[in-house]
Amino acid sequence: MRFFLKTTIFLGRGSLSNISKLISENERVIVFSSKSMEKLGFLKEVINNIENAGGVYETIVGVPPEPTIENVEEILPKVREFKPDTFIAIGGGSVIDVAKAVKVFYDVPDLDFDNVAVFSRFQKVNPLPKLKSKFIAIPSTSGAGSEVSAASVIKKGGTKYTIVSPDLCPDYAILDPRLPENMPKEVARNSGLDVLVHAIEAYVSKVATPFSDAYALRAAKIIFEYLEKSVEGDSEAREMVHYAATMAGIAFLNGRLGLVHAMSHKAAWIGPHGLINAILLPYVMEFNVKKAPERYDSLARELGLKDVEELYLKIVDLNERLGVPRLSDLVDEDEFMERLPEMARKAYEDPLVAFNPVEPSVEEIKEIYLKAFRGE
Ligand code: NAP
Ligand code: FE
């Protein structure tokens, strides 16, 4: 067993100013920012800190949510021309993941996406060569955990591909609770529910350790206690959920994820990542519990609940209170049915299935998708 964390984490209100300590004279810094971070003045704060430290900067503003390989390819030439020493990404998981992917192809120019991006556990991928540039991640959502994770998740043809390497873990993460205060309700909900899925999947994973459990448990506890208040806009709750997102990131960096993520990555064409995960969670849990109830039971008891049934009901109740829809509310039935066999087959092949407590068949995955579609 092993527990790993590469990232140094700064946290607290105003912690964004730590950037000036991390940049030296004449350091070349490329800053990836989401539109909202520019609009709200946080990009300007990042730039001021780089300038105060004597660094030189260039910005890339407006990375779209759920980014694609085309987005990465479009940005690369600008980054290659600027020749940065350091990457800063300020935004949601989407911005951080694009910056991570661009860093891979900037640091190692001859790499081909298809040779390093994983979509199947039966596919042979080459390990990434050593990466060199420094990376500072500043999450503005409270969800993905990309600020500590070893992954960059990029869409190609409606499916998520993952580039994974310990070298992709950011060197620094800055958790400044002023940033997520501005999240729209839906983003707060979707990304916050992703945190719960990260915590639960990391906890029940085949490779969980007592150390990853500690982070997973604390994150799950915070979500159950604070997510509703956070979605309502309560600033203390937003701060707690912001930290929980990174805790869950540390949990899954080590404990990995499972069937919910395997299935949501192949259903990425339907809607936002966190929301699809939240929809699938109770159905995957129902499936896993039948054959492997022990870890769910242990999780329930650690959370102060009676048993796994109570945990299941708590999850369903949270989804209901937060207005999580059924898949059928998001996608047309004909299109869903047409793509279902391929989705189920690809989800079966997903590398994360290897960590799920139960090995599912393609048929069983199809059933789970169908139940989630119909809301049964
Ligand atoms: P996101 O897609 O990064 O952001 C969603 C939306 O929220 C964006 O349109 C953004 O708008 C807006 N937004 C973000 N922060 C805001 C703020 N503070 N105030 C106002 N608006 C804000 O959401 P996410 O849930 O963080 O990331 C999802 C992505 O992460 C998915 O692609 C998923 O696959 C990936 N993911 C990665 C990992 C990993 O380990 N790498 C793990 C799980 C998920 P603007 O662009 O206009 O600012
Ligand atoms: Fe996720």
Side-chain angles (χ1 to χ4, degrees):
M1 285 196 277
R2 182 183 87 115
F3 180 79
F4 165 74
L5 177 64
K6 172 180 159 194
T7 311
T8 300
I9 299 166
F10 295 95
L11 63 155
R13 195 161 280 272
S15 54
L16 202 56
S17 65
N18 283 292
I19 291 173
S20 58
K21 290 189 223 152
L22 306 177
I23 304 295
S24 26
E25 189 84 26
N26 295 325
E27 192 166 324
R28 298 180 71 77
V29 186
I30 188 96
V31 186
F32 288 66
S33 168
S34 72
K35 285 217 178 72
S36 56
M37 286 300 103
E38 181 188 44
K39 203 171 73 215
L40 292 161
F42 291 114
L43 172 60
K44 185 81 191 112
E45 245 184 76
V46 170
I47 289 169
N48 289 344
N49 274 288
I50 299 171
E51 282 182 330
N52 288 344
V56 182
Y57 72 90
E58 179 69 75
T59 59
I60 290 171
V61 181
V63 173
E66 314 280 324
T68 62
I69 180 60
E70 287 79 19
N71 301 136
V72 174
E73 280 166 353
E74 203 183 307
I75 294 168
L76 248 176
K78 192 172 171 186
V79 175
R80 284 188 173 140
E81 200 186 324
F82 178 67
K83 298 191 174 56
D85 308 301
T86 296
F87 285 65
I88 293 183
I90 177 163
S94 296
V95 175
I96 298 174
D97 280 4
V98 161
K100 280 175 160 180
V102 169
K103 171 189 155 81
V104 169
F105 299 108
Y106 167 71
D107 281 358
V108 192
D110 297 330
L111 282 184
D112 181 22
F113 181 77
D114 293 319
N115 288 337
V116 290
V118 191
F119 65 93
S120 164
R121 56 190 160 135
F122 307 115
Q123 159 204 21
K124 201 178 146 7
V125 285
N126 303 326
L128 274 191
K130 195 107 195 93
L131 303 178
K132 50 181 192 290
S133 45
K134 186 158 87 190
F135 198 104
I136 303 171
I138 311 167
S140 69
T141 58
S142 311
S146 186
E147 65 279 4
V148 286
S149 87
S152 163
V153 186
I154 301 292
K155 212 156 63 172
K156 185 179 167 185
T159 293
K160 295 271 173 89
Y161 287 63
T162 310
I163 309 176
V164 189
S165 161
D167 270 9
L168 264 184
C169 295
D171 300 284
Y172 301 95
I174 301 179
L175 312 180
D176 191 326
R178 292 176 302 153
L179 278 58
E181 262 174 20
N182 299 288
M183 273 188 294
K185 272 188 174 184
E186 278 207 356
V187 176
R189 175 193 70 180
N190 296 348
S191 60
L193 287 167
D194 198 18
V195 176
L196 183 63
V197 176
H198 292 161
I200 295 180
E201 293 216 286
Y203 190 89
V204 302
S205 153
K206 280 182 182 164
V207 296
T209 69
F211 281 71
S212 58
D213 288 353
Y215 285 97
L217 278 173
R218 184 76 184 121
K221 260 191 187 145
I222 292 174
I223 293 301
F224 281 130
E225 193 172 340
Y226 290 101
L227 185 60
E228 268 186 276
K229 279 188 245 159
S230 161
V231 172
E232 290 306 316
D234 178 278
S235 66
E236 188 209 350
R238 285 228 167 170
E239 179 167 357
M240 291 306 287
V241 173
H242 201 47
Y243 300 155
T246 305
M247 292 175 200
I250 297 170
F252 83 72
L253 165 67
N254 289 277
R256 312 299 298 269
L257 297 165
L259 187 55
V260 177
H261 271 79
M263 291 178 66
S264 83
H265 282 168
K266 312 307 175 188
W269 54 281
I270 298 176
H273 174 75
L275 188 62
I276 303 295
N277 275 340
I279 295 172
L280 292 169
L281 177 65
Y283 299 98
V284 170
M285 181 174 168
E286 196 181 22
F287 169 77
N288 280 345
V289 160
K290 276 188 207 137
K291 288 186 188 155
E294 302 81 12
R295 289 294 286 168
Y296 286 96
D297 250 327
S298 152
L299 175 60
R301 276 182 276 105
E302 289 277 13
L303 292 170
L305 305 170
K306 198 166 83 235
D307 54 17
V308 64
E309 179 65 18
E310 203 174 319
L311 175 62
Y312 174 83
L313 292 174
K314 202 171 166 72
I315 291 167
V316 171
D317 182 56
L318 183 64
N319 274 359
E320 261 174 35
R321 285 162 170 283
L322 292 173
V324 171
R326 289 175 296 199
L327 281 182
S328 58
D329 298 320
L330 303 179
V331 62
D332 171 71
E333 180 159 7
D334 289 345
E335 193 181 2
F336 183 79
M337 293 304 170
E338 195 190 315
R339 294 181 74 158
L340 179 62
E342 192 197 348
M343 262 197 317
R345 187 181 49 75
K346 285 186 169 169
Y348 169 78
E349 291 174 4
D350 191 280
L352 294 173
V353 171
F355 309 108
N356 194 63
V358 180
E359 165 81 22
S361 68
V362 177
E363 236 1 86
E364 285 168 330
I365 292 175
K366 208 188 275 179
E367 264 313 298
I368 298 171
Y369 272 131
L370 273 173
K371 282 188 174 177
F373 182 80
R374 298 189 185 118
E376 282 168 353

